[in-house]
Amino acid sequence: MGDAGRVRVLLVGATGLVGQGVALACQRSAEVAALTALVRRPGGLKGVGSERVVADFLRIDARVDDLAGFDACFYCAGATPIGTGEDEYRRVTLDTTVAVARTWADANPQGTFLYVSGAGANPRSRLMPLRVKGQAEEALRALPARTVMLRPGGVRPVPGTGTRHALLKPLYWGGAPLMKLAGALSPSLVTSNLALGRAMIALAGMQRPPQAVECDEINRIAAGRGDPAG
């Protein structure tokens, strides 16, 4: 752990909808000693303490020393299934995730790798996105590291954050009030990107975190109703 039990976090996917909220949670948390973003290109991130630049995540194994010195990796990167073919979705969601996780685990064998997956992830699902996410979960569990899979349902962006995908912007803009209401009425269906970050911070501080955390549990932990001692 970092200073006085606080966690040193490597954040992957800081510019995405989920990653923006997770970064915000880290910046606001007294439990985070340091926040570093793993990026392909330098610059462009606001409020993140530092960056580690790796142009090609699929070849990150050659940069293992650059990933050392962290207590937790918050992996929030991924591809939207809307408008993304299966080969590309698999490359981003499975191949790239596992490449980063394997290298990070080699550099930080005592750390925790927390992966934002999705509700219904199942390697035998008939739905391509859920099948690939399930396969990513299987591959991550096989690594010699502590791993936690977070499975949110819908993810609501908090003010100041949002999606970069043009096809999704109208959906989030128009559906934001309904998502907020759905999250209040049924926390098993919707969470926010900020709540995801708060939950990840709490899970990273647990000695024995659960292997998989569903949407309602994400909300419960984010609200401070989890057991930080694990």
Side-chain angles (χ1 to χ4, degrees):
M1 286 288 183
D3 301 337
R6 299 160 69 213
V7 293
R8 298 161 297 186
V9 175
L10 180 68
L11 173 60
V12 187
T15 61
L17 184 149
V18 171
Q20 292 171 49
V22 172
L24 190 60
C26 290
Q27 291 157 15
R28 293 177 177 179
S29 176
E31 302 304 315
V32 176
L35 176 62
T36 301
L38 181 67
V39 297
R40 291 182 175 86
R41 293 174 294 276
L45 297 178
K46 298 179 181 179
V48 177
S50 61
E51 297 176 345
R52 300 283 169 90
V53 181
V54 177
D56 187 351
F57 287 3
L58 285 172
R59 293 178 172 82
I60 200 169
D61 57 333
R63 303 282 298 276
V64 61
D65 290 344
D66 289 344
L67 300 194
F70 296 97
D71 304 300
C73 179
F74 293 174
Y75 198 95
C76 307
T80 173
I82 298 176
T84 305
E86 181 169 355
D87 288 346
E88 176 66 7
Y89 191 83
R90 180 176 296 276
R91 184 186 69 82
V92 174
T93 304
L94 176 60
D95 300 341
T96 303
T97 301
V98 174
V100 173
R102 183 179 292 119
T103 303
W104 185 88
D106 288 342
N108 306 278
Q110 303 305 315
T112 305
F113 188 93
L114 297 101
Y115 172 59
V116 179
S117 180
N122 185 331
R124 288 164 292 282
S125 175
R126 293 183 179 181
L127 299 177
M128 183 275 291
L130 300 184
R131 182 171 64 252
V132 175
K133 281 186 177 291
Q135 291 167 354
E137 287 191 5
E138 275 192 333
L140 292 174
R141 289 194 190 96
L143 296 177
R146 186 163 53 241
T147 57
V148 179
M149 317 300 165
L150 291 94
R151 298 172 178 163
V155 178
R156 174 178 61 85
V158 299
T161 69
T163 181
R164 297 174 299 158
H165 297 285
L167 290 175
L168 296 178
K169 284 182 179 180
L171 174 64
Y172 281 107
W173 181 82
L178 290 177
M179 291 184 74
K180 188 172 184 178
L181 178 61
L185 295 176
S186 183
S188 64
L189 297 178
V190 178
T191 189
S192 73
N193 53 1
L194 183 64
L196 267 168
R198 289 171 174 165
M200 293 174 96
I201 294 166
L203 288 161
M206 295 182 184
Q207 294 295 320
R208 295 178 298 277
Q211 281 197 332
V213 186
E214 304 296 338
C215 194
D216 55 347
E217 188 72 359
I218 290 170
N219 287 319
R220 189 178 72 83
I221 294 172
R225 298 193 297 271
D227 178 8

